[in-house]
Amino acid sequence: MNTKDKMASVEPVRLGPESTFKFKCHPGVACFTECCRDINIILTPYDIIRLKNRLDLSSEEFLALYTEPQMLEKTGLPVVTLKFLNENRKDAERKMCPFVRENGCLVYDDRPTTCRYYPLGVASLSHKEDADGDEFYFFVHEPHCLGFKENKLWTVREWRKDQGVDIHDEINAEWTDLVVRKRSFPPNMQLTEQTKQMFFMVSYNLDKFSEFVFGSTFLQRYEVDAAILEEIKNDEIALLKFGLKWLKWLLFKEGGFKLKADTQIATP
Ligand code: SF4
Ligand code: SF4
């Protein structure tokens, strides 16, 4: 799934994990930070966790300050993009990332998945461990990007590890899988508004999901192991994974969630 759109020429080369390319990005390139303008960056669940923690915000505050809602094409699923700002320049009217500064990215260590992949795009069908062979990549070859003129050689696998995107993909794997599977639904199979809201809450508003699990009738309706409850109380990644497992059950009736006796639940 490519989450970075722009007037870029996407090179029609299908790359695998061992494909090689030459590339280097550093503050000395003439195009430094050009790629942080006029783009559309869809955020993943783990992007939100990293960024909100970096900025010491709640997920609700981060969503309000730094994101815009968008409907994901062909799925009807609600996602968010980074909210870009107008750039005040005499020569051009452009939109810039709220985190870009003259000397680089303000949140570099916690930058989103898409920024880590760049200059690659990912067209994965799945990031799950058993999905080897399903994932593939391509170049987002924007004319202003001079990094391809540099001499450092990478395989795609090395690039993903170097940029830390392998960890993002591992944590987001179930989410990517849900989105990809929803995309293959026939168009007449629509989700209810309630299911879309649940998808949004688990994907992006973990603080609210935590309140939902521990402060609503959730635990009266579902059987949840005490050890799991303890874990998700204190660990956001575990909470996210738990939430994604629940979404999978809601959407596809898979994943082993158990309703308590006498509990009724509407279908998506
Ligand atoms: S988050 Fe950082 S790397 Fe990504 S577009 Fe913004 S400034 Fe650039
Ligand atoms: S446009 Fe390319 S080389 Fe220039 S800063 Fe962005 S990624 Fe680096």
Side-chain angles (χ1 to χ4, degrees):
M1 176 172 42
N2 181 27
T3 50
K4 189 172 188 176
D5 304 326
K6 195 173 178 183
M7 288 170 292
S9 68
V10 172
E11 299 243 314
V13 180
R14 186 175 169 134
L15 306 169
E18 304 311 326
S19 302
T20 56
F21 63 102
K22 283 185 179 173
F23 186 81
K24 192 173 174 193
C25 175
H26 56 93
V29 285
C31 55
F32 193 57
T33 74
E34 277 299 303
C35 49
C36 303
R37 292 168 164 83
D38 287 342
I39 50 177
N40 183 32
I41 296 179
I42 294 175
L43 297 172
T44 67
Y46 189 48
D47 293 341
I48 301 273
I49 292 178
R50 296 281 296 254
L51 286 166
K52 80 170 179 73
N53 290 344
R54 168 71 177 239
L55 300 168
D56 202 16
L57 296 172
S58 69
S59 48
E60 195 101 30
E61 288 167 335
F62 180 83
L63 288 170
L65 287 170
Y66 291 107
T67 70
E68 283 178 327
Q70 192 172 309
M71 204 58 84
L72 197 59
E73 218 184 317
K74 293 186 189 156
T75 67
L77 291 172
V79 291
V80 294
T81 57
L82 255 188
K83 193 196 290 180
F84 273 38
L85 311 169
N86 286 324
E87 186 173 14
N88 289 326
R89 275 175 45 151
K90 287 184 202 132
D91 54 336
E93 206 170 285
R94 300 195 297 178
K95 295 265 187 190
M96 58 186 245
C97 174
F99 304 123
V100 68
R101 298 291 181 272
E102 220 165 276
N103 56 352
C105 174
L106 202 60
V107 293
Y108 187 79
D109 289 344
D110 298 296
R111 67 200 184 284
T113 308
T114 297
C115 307
R116 290 169 190 267
Y117 262 112
Y118 194 84
L120 301 179
V122 58
S124 291
L125 299 180
S126 176
H127 287 300
K128 290 170 80 175
E129 266 175 34
D130 56 3
D132 253 12
D134 270 353
E135 60 183 27
F136 69 95
Y137 311 89
F138 51 84
F139 292 126
V140 182
H141 213 155
E142 295 178 296
H144 59 242
C145 181
L146 303 174
F148 288 100
K149 295 189 189 305
E150 305 269 328
N151 251 334
K152 170 87 178 134
L153 187 69
W154 302 92
T155 63
V156 169
R157 189 187 300 277
E158 286 166 349
W159 179 256
R160 290 179 70 240
K161 191 166 171 28
D162 184 77
Q163 298 294 306
V165 79
D166 52 347
I167 297 163
H168 278 237
D169 283 347
E170 192 271 317
I171 294 170
N172 287 320
E174 287 292 348
W175 184 78
T176 310
D177 199 51
L178 284 180
V179 171
V180 169
R181 287 179 68 179
K182 176 64 189 73
R183 194 182 280 163
S184 63
F185 269 28
N188 60 344
M189 281 187 69
Q190 302 288 337
L191 298 177
T192 63
E193 282 310 308
Q194 195 191 15
T195 304
K196 287 182 193 174
Q197 282 169 18
M198 296 297 149
F199 174 85
F200 188 88
M201 176 173 65
V202 173
S203 302
Y204 296 125
N205 198 342
L206 267 192
D207 298 338
K208 195 167 171 190
F209 180 54
S210 179
E211 282 169 31
F212 178 69
V213 172
F214 294 104
S216 77
T217 55
F218 188 95
L219 296 175
Q220 290 160 27
R221 289 182 286 143
Y222 293 98
E223 304 268 5
V224 186
D225 197 83
I228 293 179
L229 278 182
E230 203 44 45
E231 195 188 7
I232 65 175
K233 240 183 226 167
N234 305 310
D235 180 341
E236 287 181 312
I237 307 294
L239 179 64
L240 173 64
K241 289 187 174 179
F242 173 84
L244 292 171
K245 203 170 152 194
W246 177 62
L247 279 182
K248 190 172 174 180
W249 187 86
L250 266 191
L251 265 69
F252 306 114
K253 291 290 170 283
E254 290 174 16
F257 252 83
K258 269 202 201 140
L259 282 172
K260 289 186 175 171
D262 301 332
T263 305
Q264 302 275 330
I265 191 157
T267 51

